[in-house]
Amino acid sequence: MTYELLIADKSYSSWSLRGWLCFAAFGIPVNVTSTRMYCDDFARNLAAFSDTARTVPLVKAPDGALLTDSLAIAWALAEAFPDKGLLPADPGARGDALSLVAEMHSGFSALRTACPMNLRTGWTGFEPSAAVLADIGRVEALWARALAAHGGPWLCGAYSLADVFFAPLATRLVTYGLPVSERARAYVSRHLTHPRLVEWRKAGLDEGPDQPAYEMDLPRRDFPQS
C-alpha cells in the first residue's frame, strides 16, 4: 500500500502545494487525487476521504492514519522517512527548520489574506498595507538569518520542509510585485525554477478556467518564470 493524497486547485491552493511537495520534493511515492474548490465535487471528494474533513490537503497513510493538515503530513513523513532529508540532520539546522515551518504555518496572516496564491498571473499596481509590509519584513529577517547561518542555497542548507512551507509565500512576492531585497529575490527565484514547483504550476494551468474568487481589480502581467 502507498499514501493517498487529496489536493485542490494547483494554481490557487497553497496548502495543497505544501502537502504535495512533502512527497514530491523528496521522492516519496503517493497516489494523488485532485479536486476543484467552490464546486460540489469538492465536498464529495472530501467526504470520500473522511466525513469530518473540511480542508485540503488530506492524506491517508498506509497504516490507516488520516492526516488532515499540512503540518501533520510534514511531521509524519519526516518521522516515517528519516533518510529522505525532509529535515536537516544537523541539530542546529534541524531546530531552525522546525521553527521556520511552525511560524509559516501560523503566521503572516496579513500577507496571506491580502495576497492569495495565484500561479496563473502576475498583478501590477498592488499597494501593500502597513501590515503586509510588516509581514514581508519579518519574512526577510527570517530568510536572511537562516541563509547566513546555514550557507544556503536553501534556508537550512539543503532543500527541506522549511523551504516547502515557504514555497507558496515566495510565489506571492512575485505575483503581487512586492518589495523585497536582492537576497530574498534570489531565494524566491530558486523556488520558481525548482523542478517540482515548475511541474506543479504547469499542471495547474491545465485544470480548467480561472477561479473567480481569486480575481483582482488590477491589470494583469505574465507570471514570472524566475
Side-chain angles (χ1 to χ4, degrees):
M1 294 179 65
T2 189
Y3 289 85
E4 302 286 338
L5 170 65
L6 177 65
I7 57 172
D9 307 61
K10 295 182 179 71
S11 295
Y12 306 107
S13 180
S14 58
W15 291 110
S16 291
L17 172 56
R18 291 182 179 95
W20 182 80
L21 282 173
C22 286
F23 291 93
F26 304 98
I28 300 171
V30 61
N31 293 328
V32 180
T33 300
S34 186
T35 186
R36 296 209 84 195
M37 298 179 289
Y38 312 112
C39 67
D40 292 341
D41 282 346
F42 184 73
R44 283 195 290 267
N45 283 315
L46 282 173
F49 260 67
S50 167
D51 58 3
T52 60
R54 294 293 179 267
T55 59
V56 290
L58 290 170
V59 166
K60 286 182 181 176
D63 62 3
L66 182 68
L67 307 172
T68 62
D69 185 273
S70 59
L71 194 59
I73 294 167
W75 293 165
L77 292 180
E79 185 177 67
F81 299 95
D83 59 330
K84 292 289 189 178
L86 282 82
L87 291 170
D90 174 77
R94 188 182 186 89
D96 281 348
L98 292 170
S99 296
L100 288 163
V101 167
E103 183 161 350
M104 180 61 252
H105 187 266
S106 62
F108 312 110
S109 59
L111 174 55
R112 288 156 62 176
T113 300
C115 305
M117 189 179 84
N118 190 332
L119 303 182
R120 295 190 171 200
T121 190
W123 301 109
T124 60
F126 179 81
E127 295 290 340
S129 67
V132 170
L133 291 173
D135 277 353
I136 294 171
R138 176 61 177 168
V139 168
E140 288 243 30
L142 290 173
W143 288 359
R145 180 196 173 280
L147 291 167
H150 306 294
W154 298 98
L155 291 177
C156 297
Y159 190 92
S160 73
L161 288 174
D163 306 293
V164 165
F165 271 68
F166 274 103
L169 189 148
T171 71
R172 286 168 156 97
L173 297 178
V174 293
T175 294
Y176 296 88
L178 298 173
V180 294
S181 67
E182 286 300 314
R183 185 169 196 173
R185 186 67 180 81
Y187 174 68
V188 170
S189 293
R190 284 193 282 278
H191 279 286
L192 298 180
T193 57
H194 189 281
R196 299 288 75 79
L197 186 55
V198 171
E199 174 189 348
W200 172 273
R201 180 174 176 270
K202 185 180 295 185
L205 295 175
D206 297 328
E207 284 188 324
D210 292 352
Q211 288 277 20
Y214 293 86
E215 287 299 307
M216 304 286 287
D217 188 21
L218 294 169
R220 288 178 178 265
R221 58 183 171 82
D222 289 341
F223 182 86
Q225 304 298 305
S226 63

